[in-house]
Amino acid sequence: MKPEEPPEDGADLPETEAGADAEAASAADTASPAEADAAAEADATAAAEAAAAAEARGKPIGRRIFLGTVALGALGVVTAPALQRGFEALSGQDPTGLSGLLPNGGGFRYYSVTASVPRKGPADYRLTVGGMVDRLHTYTLDDLRALPQTRLVKDVQCVTGWRVPGTPFQGVRLADLLDAAGVQSSARAIRFTCFDGAYTESLTLDQARRADVLVALRMQDKDIGHDHGGPVRLYVAPMYFYKSAKWLSGITVTDRVRPGYWENRGYDVDAWVGRSNGRTDDPTN
């Protein structure tokens, strides 16, 4: 699962990747329209082949493929018709969902870092709370729905730059689940795991106890659907959206922060909106 979304500029990439991206951008600026269209068609084909190869391997999607697909979609929407045609073709056959990143008219497009994600519902969904706690808990979907609910309405900010204002999320405060489990005095952090089998996230214990951090069951005043990370996802309101892990299945209290999926690939662990990942976005509240 982001960060759920990587930075837009090359400054936060490893030096070799940043150089390659800058070189490609420079070439695009100087190319003729015909050359740009030809390059667009080639890029679309390459991105489609990369996504298909990732599916065949059945492995999590890497940062390079992700960035290439996002750049492809963004450039296609804004500039070359040929690139847009290639992007649309990729979107129609992309099982990873990577090509669905960019917001559409409804505000959100979602993706996964794996080729497929199992579906879970009231009969088989389980959320475990364990690790450095006094009382291990396992919650069903009905258990979570029966707990006191908190509704927040804040902007959602992706680290790639798009923003969806005034988005309602509703669920159980993470702090309430931690209190029910009895966090041990030597604990310092939380690790989150997801039933896609690949994505992980982390927060410090202080961050996890904030009133604007939820184990969310509803989004935009509807039950969270599968494509949006349901039936249960994390919602970390003041941080970039990659911290709000989808398909949440495990909450483990630990003695230290363990970087998550995208953080192990170069993104900030403390992903405060406007104060991390080289970005200066306005806060979400």
Side-chain angles (χ1 to χ4, degrees):
M1 285 179 227
K2 259 206 239 185
E4 204 182 15
E5 314 85 15
E8 289 182 292
D9 55 38
D12 292 325
L13 299 176
E15 183 176 352
T16 55
E17 293 189 16
D21 289 348
E23 182 178 352
S26 175
D29 288 342
T30 58
S32 68
E35 290 170 333
D37 282 355
E41 296 282 7
D43 287 345
T45 300
E49 291 173 349
E55 179 194 12
R57 290 192 301 270
K59 295 180 179 179
I61 300 301
R63 173 174 177 156
R64 190 68 176 178
I65 295 175
F66 180 90
L67 286 172
T69 308
V70 172
L72 176 64
L75 286 173
V77 170
V78 176
T79 56
L83 183 57
Q84 177 63 9
R85 289 193 299 272
F87 178 67
E88 290 169 353
L90 170 62
S91 300
Q93 60 181 334
D94 179 13
T96 68
L98 284 171
S99 56
L101 170 67
L102 298 177
N104 61 11
F108 284 93
R109 297 287 294 276
Y110 291 88
Y111 64 92
S112 166
V113 299
T114 61
S116 63
V117 180
R119 293 179 178 271
K120 294 186 179 292
D124 59 354
Y125 177 77
R126 298 293 185 272
L127 173 65
T128 61
V129 181
M132 300 175 66
V133 299
D134 296 329
R135 298 172 293 278
L136 176 68
H137 278 262
T138 299
Y139 294 92
T140 66
L141 194 53
D142 287 340
D143 291 337
L144 293 170
R145 288 170 173 166
L147 295 174
Q149 305 289 301
T150 296
R151 185 176 183 269
L152 302 174
V153 181
K154 298 178 181 292
D155 294 356
V156 167
Q157 178 68 56
C158 174
V159 78
T160 55
W162 58 264
R163 188 181 187 103
V164 181
T167 304
F169 278 88
Q170 181 175 312
V172 181
R173 286 185 177 176
L174 177 56
D176 292 347
L177 298 183
L178 297 176
D179 289 343
V183 175
Q184 295 173 2
S185 60
S186 56
R188 295 292 181 269
I190 312 293
R191 179 173 174 82
F192 304 95
T193 51
C194 306
F195 62 81
D196 70 344
Y199 202 74
T200 60
E201 255 307 335
S202 65
L203 291 171
T204 68
L205 192 55
D206 286 344
Q207 291 167 354
R209 288 192 175 280
R210 289 178 58 106
D212 53 3
V213 176
L214 304 180
V215 172
L217 308 174
R218 292 175 63 81
M219 172 183 164
Q220 295 179 317
D221 295 321
K222 297 179 290 186
D223 290 346
I224 299 178
H226 175 79
D227 290 346
H228 291 197
V232 179
R233 70 177 295 162
L234 187 65
Y235 175 55
V236 185
M239 294 190 179
Y240 286 107
F241 208 35
Y242 64 82
K243 298 295 289 189
S244 296
K246 300 193 294 183
W247 305 299
L248 184 64
S249 61
I251 298 170
T252 304
V253 181
T254 64
D255 60 351
R256 65 188 185 279
V257 170
R258 291 170 170 81
Y261 180 91
W262 284 109
E263 293 144 7
N264 280 320
R265 290 158 173 78
Y267 306 126
D268 288 354
V269 174
D270 294 321
W272 303 105
V273 172
R275 295 187 282 133
S276 65
N277 293 294
R279 297 191 58 86
T280 58
D281 304 288
D282 292 334
T284 53
N285 20 336

